Amino acid sequence: MKEILRVENIHKQFEGLEVLKGVSLTVNQGEVVAILGPSGSGKTTLLRCMNFLERADSGCLTMDGETFDLGRITKKELARLRRKTAFVFQNYNLFLNKTALQNVTQGLTVARKMPRAQAEEIGMAMLEKVGLADRAGYYPHQLSGGQQQRVAIARALATDPEVIYFDEPTSALDPELIGEVLGVIQQLAAEGRTMLVVTHEMRFARNVSTHTLFMEGGVVVEEGPTKEVFDHPRQERTKAFLQGQEESRA
Amino acid sequence: MLLAGIKVTIPLTIISFSIAMVIAVVVALVQLANIRGLKQLARFYIWVVRGTPLMVQLFIVFYGLPNLGLVIDPFPCAVVVFSLNEGAYCAETMRAAIQSVPQGQIEAGYCVGMNYLQIMWHIVLPQAFRTAFPPLSNSLIGMVKDTSLAANITVTEMLMTTQRIVAYYYEALVLYCEVALVYLLFCTVLTWVQRWGENRLDITRRKGAQA
């Protein structure tokens, strides 16, 4: 399997508080990596550092064969790297003054200067994929949370990224809307999309992800194929965390 | 009188306010983009302009600058002063409006590959402008009336024209009431425009549901 993404030794602190204490991970093409862990474990920060929404203090990131020094990346490198990634936020962060279709095409027409007709064709195909082709002309405020998040996923897909980051994509949703979003992510996994998903949905992590990474206190406590981590966790902390999740659901 | 209004007051207002809007957006963005030096300059500009009377600013530019050898005709002089003055107030309005746009959209913009200016132009400013529209309309209406101060630097706008007619006919009450009515007329039209504009800009009322 081809390695697509490698992160080495990321460090990040906020005003003296060390949030990431040297995190490393490797992702192969087509893998779905679930990042689990209690709140404050640094999983969201890790994801944000990987896409430079936060600037890491140090560390290296290799994407598709090209290595970037996270501590001192230039604007040009950053732009090049971001062309290969997409990010789905907890709060959707749709462009509120744009329709669903315009949200999806914005990265194509504005950032990549693609002709509008071509962009709209791609945009409609992506909305189709998330089951919202009939909502193309709606504004975000006219859509439910689940629909907004699906538009956000369509927006992420439009630029055909190598890797898609999901930061707790269902945490802001009403329980009955979670399923439709997870269903879309599951479908993408089946299509072989490479994804990193920070999540609290244990069942989803277990059923959909190929690899699981358990974080606590700014370090990776345990990682491995999902089945192994869930069925035979090696670390006591992982065991306790998974058990706790099991009980809270019961 | 109405003719003076149409020929001087209205152009003076429109030209000055247009320039003021450009100044406002640039100054607001400079402050938010945190560009060293420029930010301090922007703060300084706002501090000075807001802290001194408009009339004094007019006098400094029109009567003061000639001492330095810089002579400007009355009308352009009024345009310069009104633009700079209004720009400072509107810059603060725009800054607040820009900050009120949910910031997650900026991150989302970066993530789909847009740069700072593209995000501002396509995403943030259209939304900020919607928020800023009522207070900006306020400023514009205020400005229509402030243009009467230009009479003090020999711009023959509406008030000055009226003063001349009064000096000739001695009908102060009637004539000044008349000019007041003309100002009221202008501002009423602007109020209508504001209401129409607010409705147009309100996307929550826009029907987006065309299949």
Side-chain angles (χ1 to χ4, degrees), chain A residues 44 47-48 87-90 165-170 196 198:
Chain A
T44 290
L47 214 57
R48 290 174 61 84
F87 204 99
V88 175
F89 297 86
Q90 184 174 358
Y165 303 115
F166 291 83
D167 181 17
E168 303 193 23
T170 58
L196 269 75
V198 168

Side-chain angles (χ1 to χ4, degrees), chain A residues 102-122:
Chain A
Q102 288 168 338
N103 263 279
V104 179
T105 57
Q106 206 68 195
L108 301 172
T109 54
V110 177
R112 286 164 182 78
K113 310 284 177 223
M114 187 185 280
R116 212 173 112 175
Q118 192 188 348
E120 283 184 353
E121 201 175 308
I122 295 174

Side-chain angles (χ1 to χ4, degrees), chain A residues 206 226-233 242:
Chain A
R206 186 174 196 144
T226 297
K227 210 169 151 32
E228 263 173 48
V229 174
F230 272 84
D231 293 345
H232 310 287
L242 291 173

Side-chain angles (χ1 to χ4, degrees), chain B residues 38-165:
Chain B
L38 278 180
K39 183 180 174 175
Q40 279 70 21
L41 192 69
R43 294 307 311 169
F44 177 77
Y45 157 67
I46 292 170
W47 175 62
V48 170
V49 170
R50 287 203 308 184
T52 53
L54 178 53
M55 179 96 102
V56 174
Q57 293 165 10
L58 280 169
F59 281 7
I60 289 174
V61 175
F62 188 70
Y63 296 116
L65 289 188
N67 288 356
L68 298 176
L70 192 62
V71 183
I72 313 175
D73 283 341
F75 187 83
C77 178
V79 168
V80 168
V81 174
F82 285 132
S83 307
L84 286 174
N85 184 278
E86 198 72 3
Y89 287 94
C90 294
E92 288 296 88
T93 307
M94 280 311 293
R95 184 172 63 88
I98 290 170
Q99 282 173 322
S100 77
V101 175
Q103 302 292 299
Q105 295 177 65
I106 298 175
E107 291 190 343
Y110 282 129
C111 286
V112 299
M114 291 197 266
N115 62 36
Y116 180 75
L117 284 179
Q118 289 171 334
I119 294 170
M120 284 298 146
W121 184 252
H122 292 277
I123 310 298
V124 176
L125 285 178
Q127 293 178 59
F129 187 66
R130 202 167 67 231
T131 313
F133 194 74
L136 288 180
S137 305
N138 231 356
S139 301
L140 175 59
I141 287 173
M143 189 169 186
V144 171
K145 293 167 294 168
D146 285 345
T147 56
S148 58
L149 290 177
N152 294 296
I153 59 163
T154 74
V155 176
T156 42
E157 44 66 71
M158 271 205 303
L159 182 63
M160 180 124 175
T161 311
T162 313
Q163 281 171 330
R164 285 186 180 165
I165 303 171

Side-chain angles (χ1 to χ4, degrees), chain B residues 1-19:
Chain B
M1 193 188 299
L2 195 60
L3 195 70
I6 290 165
K7 275 169 84 172
V8 181
T9 299
I10 291 179
L12 183 58
T13 308
I14 292 175
I15 297 171
S16 304
F17 197 76
S18 307
I19 301 173

